[in-house]
């Protein structure tokens, strides 16, 4: 707890979503002083309890694990372990992902699929099988947008997807 970012409270989902969820992970961006997101936490402390962020919880649930373990010493966090995956972090439980440029208009890329196409049944089922899917809102005025080293504006959902790709790759 001494090494990760602390939050006094949190916003919860609607009770129906909370009850149906297989896991719960926090979505927190920590921009540097210049407003650019370079580090993404895997762990945070909420109300003095250690908690996973979205990417770590996605990995735990997708791998069918009941828990994750944190490796730390007197100097800070060294990494997080879930299933057969050990993820090295900085001393504050954060990753420095390798960001890649994306074009949000490319709805047929390997990263993006239109939710409308999925709902209309035009996306082959095998495209989504054995895949971690992150659903995000990218509409103008509703989007979670941050600056990264490779883009002045990157959707928050894209940041999460790229962090996940970094870990799985």
């Amino acid at each position: 707890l001494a090494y990760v970012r602390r939050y006094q409270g949190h916003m919860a989902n609607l009770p129906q979503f909370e009850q149906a969820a297989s896991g719960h992970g926090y979505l927190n961006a920590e921009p540097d002083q210049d407003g650019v997101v370079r580090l993404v936490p895997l762990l945070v402390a909420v109300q003095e309890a250690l908690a996973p962020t979205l990417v770590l919880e996605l990995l735990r649930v997708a791998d069918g694990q009941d828990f994750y373990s944190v490796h730390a010493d007197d100097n800070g966090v060294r990494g997080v372990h879930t299933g057969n995956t050990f993820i090295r972090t900085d001393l504050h439980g954060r990753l420095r992902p390798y960001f890649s440029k994306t074009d949000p208009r490319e709805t047929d890329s390997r990263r993006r699929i239109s939710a409308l196409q999925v709902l209309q049944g035009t996306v082959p089922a095998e495209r989504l099988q054995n895949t971690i899917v992150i659903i995000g809102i990218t509409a103008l005025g509703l989007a979670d947008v941050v600056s990264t080293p490779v883009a002045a504006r990157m959707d928050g959902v894209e940041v999460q997807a790229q962090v996940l790709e970094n870990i799985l790759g």
Side-chain angles (χ1 to χ4, degrees):
L1 285 176
Y3 303 106
V4 301
R5 178 83 184 256
R6 292 175 179 210
Y7 297 92
Q8 293 305 310
H10 67 117
M11 289 190 308
N13 295 311
L14 293 172
Q16 305 91 305
F17 292 128
E18 288 290 330
Q19 293 167 359
S22 300
H24 297 85
Y26 289 92
L27 187 57
N28 298 68
E30 296 181 18
D32 291 345
Q33 288 182 333
D34 62 359
V36 176
V37 172
R38 293 181 179 89
L39 296 165
V40 178
L42 288 185
L43 301 164
V44 294
V46 179
Q47 298 172 339
E48 296 303 313
L50 196 60
T53 57
L54 178 65
V55 169
L56 178 57
E57 192 67 346
L58 282 171
L59 287 169
R60 182 193 68 77
V61 171
D63 200 25
Q65 301 299 314
D66 292 329
F67 61 89
Y68 61 91
S69 57
V70 178
H71 297 256
D73 59 27
D74 292 338
N75 297 312
V77 179
R78 297 297 179 181
V80 181
H81 192 236
T82 181
N84 293 323
T85 304
F86 180 75
I87 309 158
R88 292 191 188 284
T89 66
D90 72 359
L91 297 177
H92 302 284
R94 303 173 301 188
L95 292 177
R96 183 178 300 273
Y98 172 82
F99 287 106
S100 60
K101 292 183 180 182
T102 61
D103 184 347
R105 294 168 295 185
E106 294 180 11
T107 58
D108 61 345
S109 73
R110 66 184 177 94
R111 282 196 185 112
R112 292 179 180 257
I113 299 173
S114 164
L116 180 59
Q117 291 174 333
V118 172
L119 293 171
Q120 290 174 337
T122 60
V123 176
E126 57 271 7
R127 176 91 193 272
L128 299 174
Q129 287 179 335
N130 300 314
T131 302
I132 299 172
V133 175
I134 304 173
I135 300 170
I137 298 172
T138 57
L140 187 62
L142 296 177
D144 166 29
V145 178
V146 298
S147 294
T148 68
V150 300
R153 296 178 52 80
M154 183 179 283
D155 295 327
V157 69
E158 179 69 24
V159 171
Q160 300 302 312
Q162 288 199 29
V163 171
L164 191 58
E165 283 181 339
N166 276 235
I167 293 167
L168 294 174

